[in-house]
Amino acid sequence: MDDFDALLGALQPLLARYGLEQVEDDAWTGRPFGSRYATFAAGDRQVRIVYEGRDRWFVIEALQPRSAGSPAWTDLAEPLGVGDEARIARIAEVFGDALRRYLNDR
């Protein structure tokens, strides 16, 4: 299991609790370094987990409406680098907290 799948596995119970289902998994075919993202949605709520493979960092984002123009992806937490399995657990904890704050504020 790679780091991305490990993080998704750690966050899956929380995503499911809020009714967020995976609607997209893009491994950015042909891109080097294994960059990837997965999008989860429930109604008008959309959340995306991104892995930037070159520099090995994750970020969690939400699709936010804007006053003018189309919605934009906004970070829910600072991007976090990965190093080992314990780090994945810590990223899951930080992203889980950010996800709960975002979903409970809506």
Side-chain angles (χ1 to χ4, degrees):
M1 177 182 304
D2 64 19
D3 291 339
F4 187 85
D5 290 327
L7 181 59
L8 289 187
L11 291 173
Q12 189 59 42
L14 181 61
L15 294 163
R17 187 176 321 139
Y18 284 100
L20 292 159
E21 296 181 6
Q22 189 167 346
V23 296
E24 185 176 26
D25 184 348
D26 184 3
W28 293 348
T29 305
R31 292 188 188 229
F33 311 114
S35 295
R36 184 174 170 191
Y37 70 87
T39 305
F40 298 82
D44 66 342
R45 299 177 297 180
Q46 290 189 47
V47 174
R48 177 167 75 177
I49 298 167
V50 178
Y51 175 66
E52 201 288 326
R54 179 176 175 206
D55 296 320
R56 299 189 69 215
W57 54 258
F58 287 98
V59 69
I60 186 167
E61 305 172 318
L63 192 60
Q64 302 280 11
R66 295 190 305 185
S67 58
S70 59
W73 290 102
T74 304
D75 294 354
L76 296 180
E78 291 293 317
L80 296 171
V82 65
D84 56 36
E85 189 173 321
R87 185 72 177 150
I88 292 294
R90 177 67 182 138
I91 292 169
E93 181 182 335
V94 170
F95 285 7
D97 290 345
L99 185 59
R100 279 187 283 278
R101 280 192 307 274
Y102 166 71
L103 294 171
N104 288 328
D105 286 346
R106 294 195 77 213

